[in-house]
Amino acid sequence: MQSIDRAMNVIKVLVSNSSENWLSITELSQECDLPVSSMHRLLKAMSLHGLIQQDGQSKQYGLGNIWLEYGLRMYDKMDYISQIRPELERLMNKVEESVYLSQPIGMESLVIERIDSEKSQIRVYDQLGSRVPMHIGAANKAMLAYMPYNQTKKIVDALLPTQERAAFWDILQETKKKGHGISHSERTEGTCSVAVPILNHFGEVHGAVSIGFVSFNLTDERLDFLIKNVMETGNRVSAKLGYRGP
């Protein structure tokens, strides 16, 4: 914990420094109130992770390029959500259920947006930032079904035992055939979800839109209504991202 505090202090000093954000190890030691030997070890570790960089000529230290990369990713994600949020709100108002936006990150997906309906007395609640293993839930099945085969296979092989894979591949095949994923009581008993993938202009999986709802008194007509609306939303969102169909 102490190392994290010290590293963050170095970052704050470099960010706030007015002389082009480059400082010598001596200056950093003074600013951070650390011995030069301790600062040297800390800077070496931070450099390995790309958090800082050293100028080859002046030997001074500045922020690493990774901060720019992270910043651009966050900016892109914020812009991405701002494009999609009106469609999510439109869907929520139409179906009067909780609506989610997820993105794949390796072996998991991340819930990056959630809009709850005030008219829904019983809400299916997944926190923003929740991570869900990629083999669980309608949103993840929808994304897996539309990913390249090798990418999906890598995830399936890593998360499922051999004896369960064939049945899971059947589910993914059916999901792609129907154009939507569906889940019943996988994470929470008595809850369901329906989802569709979001595709970008290259036809790549960018995320998924899903509706969470309770299975109590769920009729076939209601389920068809939810599926129809989430599919329409997915098509509009994908079109906004430049997808023009197969």
Side-chain angles (χ1 to χ4, degrees):
M1 199 66 179
Q2 186 182 48
S3 296
I4 296 175
D5 290 338
R6 288 178 172 179
M8 287 306 300
N9 197 21
V10 170
I11 297 300
K12 289 176 183 176
V13 169
L14 290 174
V15 169
S16 60
N17 179 50
S18 59
S19 39
E20 298 185 3
N21 306 113
W22 292 87
L23 293 173
S24 68
I25 188 171
T26 302
E27 291 169 326
L28 282 170
S29 297
Q30 293 171 349
E31 290 285 345
C32 298
D33 195 24
L34 280 176
V36 172
S37 58
S38 298
M39 180 59 69
H40 182 267
R41 290 193 297 271
L42 179 61
L43 293 174
K44 185 177 180 180
M46 293 175 69
S47 181
L48 286 174
H49 291 281
L51 301 176
I52 57 137
Q53 58 183 319
Q54 186 181 31
D55 183 80
Q57 292 184 334
S58 69
K59 303 301 181 183
Q60 291 184 320
Y61 291 89
L63 292 176
N65 292 329
I66 198 168
W67 297 104
L68 176 61
E69 178 186 343
Y70 287 162
L72 289 173
R73 286 186 182 181
M74 287 302 299
Y75 181 83
D76 183 60
K77 185 173 289 185
M78 290 169 63
D79 184 57
Y80 165 63
I81 294 175
S82 69
Q83 288 184 60
I84 294 175
R85 187 175 176 86
E87 292 293 347
L88 300 180
E89 291 177 341
R90 177 178 176 180
L91 177 61
M92 179 273 294
N93 288 324
K94 189 78 177 288
V95 302
E96 298 182 353
E97 302 283 3
S98 296
V99 172
Y100 301 90
L101 177 64
S102 304
Q103 273 195 320
I105 45 169
M107 298 293 161
E108 299 173 311
S109 67
L110 185 70
V111 178
I112 61 173
E113 185 62 291
R114 184 193 78 236
I115 303 178
D116 294 321
S117 171
E118 295 181 358
K119 296 181 180 179
S120 178
Q121 295 181 346
I122 305 175
R123 295 179 184 175
V124 179
Y125 186 78
D126 277 322
Q127 288 186 326
L128 285 176
S130 295
R131 292 174 179 261
V132 184
M134 281 296 291
H135 66 299
I136 296 176
N140 291 350
K141 290 184 179 70
M143 289 189 285
L144 283 174
Y146 281 80
M147 286 179 178
Y149 172 78
N150 288 338
Q151 184 179 0
T152 300
K153 185 178 186 300
K154 181 180 178 181
I155 295 171
V156 171
D157 289 352
L159 297 179
L160 287 169
T162 305
Q163 64 271 21
E164 295 180 15
R165 293 173 191 168
F168 191 79
W169 278 108
D170 288 341
I171 292 172
L172 295 185
Q173 187 176 17
E174 186 70 10
T175 297
K176 190 164 187 179
K177 180 180 177 181
K178 292 183 175 179
H180 68 271
I182 190 163
S183 171
H184 297 286
S185 299
E186 282 194 73
R187 296 187 64 201
T188 307
E189 189 65 32
T191 65
C192 301
S193 62
V194 293
V196 293
I198 296 171
L199 306 177
N200 63 20
H201 59 290
F202 295 115
E204 300 167 334
V205 173
H206 208 72
V209 175
S210 61
I211 305 171
F213 51 98
V214 295
S215 56
F216 179 71
N217 281 344
L218 178 67
T219 63
D220 290 341
E221 290 77 15
R222 175 64 177 170
L223 181 59
D224 290 343
F225 170 78
L226 295 173
I227 291 171
K228 174 179 178 291
N229 279 279
V230 78
M231 290 184 72
E232 290 176 352
T233 298
N235 289 336
R236 287 194 298 269
V237 170
S238 292
K240 282 189 173 184
L241 298 183
Y243 181 65
R244 294 293 178 262

